Amino acid sequence: MARTRAKLGWLDSADARHRQRRPVYEIVIFRELGLYPRGTYVLPDSLFHADDEVVFSVVRGVPWDIFDPELPFTELRSLSPGHLRLVSALMLCEVRNGSRLIFYPEIESRPLLDARRLQLDSPSVLAEIRDLVMGRCREQLAIERVRRHFRPPERPYDLWTHSEFAIHRLPEFFEALNPVDYVVYRGMHALMKADMLSRHPEFREEATTACYVALDASFSAVQEHLVQSGIVNPSARDAAQWVHRHFNEPFGLPAPGADERYFGEMYEQRIMTLHPKSRHGAVPVAPLMYEDYMFMRRDLREFFAYLLTGRHGEDFQRDVDVHLGKRRPYER
């Protein structure tokens, strides 16, 4: 006789400590401040679900300190390796000049499921997990606000239809993010945090600063790519030429000049933003525009997508064809 699986429940703190060195199913609930792809997306040991009432992800894995005990100590809470991999893969599915995905995870409470193995592509398993998550949200609403572990959704979510994105590339990006590349993961995490900050107008300076972290990560990733291609000690100019060769030259744009560097046009403002006093003088405010965040957020996502997979999406070739007059702007 087939064995019936026990009803799902939460793993209590004592059991969680006992299993801390084993992979567990961790739930992350996302706040309504984000912009999410509607639907359910299942990948190996990972699931993301978004509907009007709740958005959450489920990942079977371990936290950073168990994944790599040699990492430096930090008191900051963040996404686990598995959740960051899932969120990054979804972000990379954006298309050029298209809609933007914003992931706003609630990281103060990340409950664990009491389960060894789950068939995440099963509709009944998804329904059971969703019921548990909704129950946790209702429990939090009954708790005094100052004692809540996370904020339950206070309004319907903003969701995009999956047709707005290159969702068919999700498995490709998910696979490309394994094994973990610390530089790429740090860059994608910085882009996610920049998006979170951008939802609050008073923190748009900090959103741009987070993009500077992603910018530095992308520069290191490009340098590593150039080293693998045979360039010894690649410079910022070599990186600028890489950008031109893979992103600008197909559009017929001129090659970078002898003095042009990787994102060189942003160098001075980045120095003045991060250093109140520098060789450029003392500044009481950061010399930024909101477009700085938007441009970096757009370009760096595309750079990471190309670096991880070694190819452009169909959206890139479509834009090239439109630019060269080979295709009409609204022609598929």
Side-chain angles (χ1 to χ4, degrees):
M1 180 180 295
R3 185 176 179 181
T4 303
R5 181 177 60 80
K7 187 176 181 180
L8 270 180
W10 299 117
L11 192 66
D12 62 36
S13 56
D15 285 338
R17 287 193 296 271
H18 177 68
R19 297 191 201 173
Q20 65 178 347
R21 302 203 69 83
R22 301 177 184 174
V24 294
Y25 287 97
E26 181 187 59
I27 302 283
V28 168
I29 300 175
F30 292 82
R31 295 181 60 184
E32 69 277 17
L33 291 170
L35 297 170
Y36 307 102
R38 181 185 294 276
T40 303
Y41 307 92
V42 182
L43 294 156
D45 285 334
S46 305
L47 177 149
F48 180 86
H49 174 82
D51 62 47
D52 292 322
E53 293 185 303
V54 67
V55 176
F56 65 89
S57 58
V58 187
V59 169
R60 182 177 185 268
V62 296
W64 285 105
D65 57 343
I66 295 175
F67 173 81
D68 185 351
E70 300 301 318
L71 290 177
F73 174 76
T74 177
E75 290 184 338
L76 303 180
R77 294 177 67 83
S78 182
L79 293 178
S80 65
H83 276 289
L84 183 53
R85 180 186 181 188
L86 176 60
V87 167
S88 298
L90 285 162
M91 289 175 64
L92 292 169
C93 289
E94 294 174 8
V95 297
R96 293 168 54 88
N97 304 313
S99 302
R100 184 164 49 113
L101 291 172
I102 296 178
F103 291 87
Y104 207 117
E106 178 55 72
I107 61 173
E108 287 305 310
S109 176
R110 295 176 291 185
L112 306 178
L113 292 175
D114 187 6
R116 298 287 188 180
R117 270 296 182 182
L118 291 173
Q119 189 176 345
L120 293 178
D121 59 353
S122 165
S124 61
V125 170
L126 169 62
E128 199 171 353
I129 295 174
R130 186 185 185 281
D131 287 344
L132 277 175
V133 172
M134 294 299 290
R136 176 60 67 97
C137 290
R138 288 190 292 270
E139 291 172 3
Q140 291 295 306
L141 282 173
I143 298 175
E144 184 181 354
R145 181 176 288 272
V146 295
R147 295 175 52 232
R148 291 176 184 169
H149 292 296
F150 67 90
R151 297 181 184 179
E154 297 176 352
R155 61 173 176 79
Y157 285 87
D158 292 321
L159 305 177
W160 296 109
T161 177
H162 67 83
S163 61
E164 296 281 337
F165 310 96
I167 288 296
H168 65 280
R169 297 192 70 188
L170 180 58
E172 177 187 6
F173 290 128
F174 189 79
E175 181 62 28
L177 285 160
N178 183 45
V180 173
D181 182 319
Y182 288 164
V183 172
V184 172
Y185 272 52
R186 179 73 184 278
M188 293 302 301
H189 182 264
L191 290 182
M192 184 195 77
K193 294 300 288 288
D195 287 340
M196 294 169 67
L197 288 161
S198 75
R199 302 301 272 175
H200 309 278
E202 62 271 29
F203 292 126
R204 285 176 177 169
E205 175 185 338
E206 287 73 16
T208 306
T209 301
C211 280
Y212 287 149
V213 176
L215 175 61
D216 195 69
S218 72
F219 179 51
S220 295
V222 171
Q223 285 183 306
E224 178 62 27
H225 176 80
L226 292 174
V227 168
Q228 293 176 1
S229 69
I231 299 178
V232 179
N233 194 25
S235 65
R237 171 162 168 71
D238 293 323
Q241 291 176 323
W242 176 87
V243 172
H244 172 73
R245 185 164 56 254
H246 294 289
F247 292 90
N248 295 337
E249 190 175 51
F251 289 90
L253 298 177
D259 296 329
E260 291 189 46
R261 302 292 184 267
Y262 186 75
F263 281 80
E265 69 278 7
M266 307 190 75
Y267 180 75
E268 289 187 7
Q269 69 185 60
R270 181 170 48 150
I271 293 297
M272 289 187 284
T273 297
L274 300 178
H275 302 280
K277 186 176 182 179
S278 67
R279 66 176 181 274
H280 302 293
V283 290
V285 295
L288 298 174
M289 298 179 66
Y290 186 57
E291 291 176 344
D292 297 330
Y293 151 71
M294 293 298 295
F295 288 150
M296 281 192 286
R297 168 62 173 81
R298 178 199 63 192
D299 291 348
L300 296 179
R301 180 216 63 85
E302 191 171 8
F303 289 1
F304 283 127
Y306 185 85
L307 285 163
L308 284 166
T309 64
R311 75 179 186 94
H312 291 292
E314 294 82 356
D315 54 315
F316 181 86
Q317 188 58 53
R318 179 186 176 279
D319 281 1
V320 171
D321 290 345
V322 169
H323 180 78
L324 299 179
K326 297 180 179 179
R327 191 186 308 195
R328 295 176 181 176
Y330 298 103
E331 182 183 343
R332 291 292 180 182

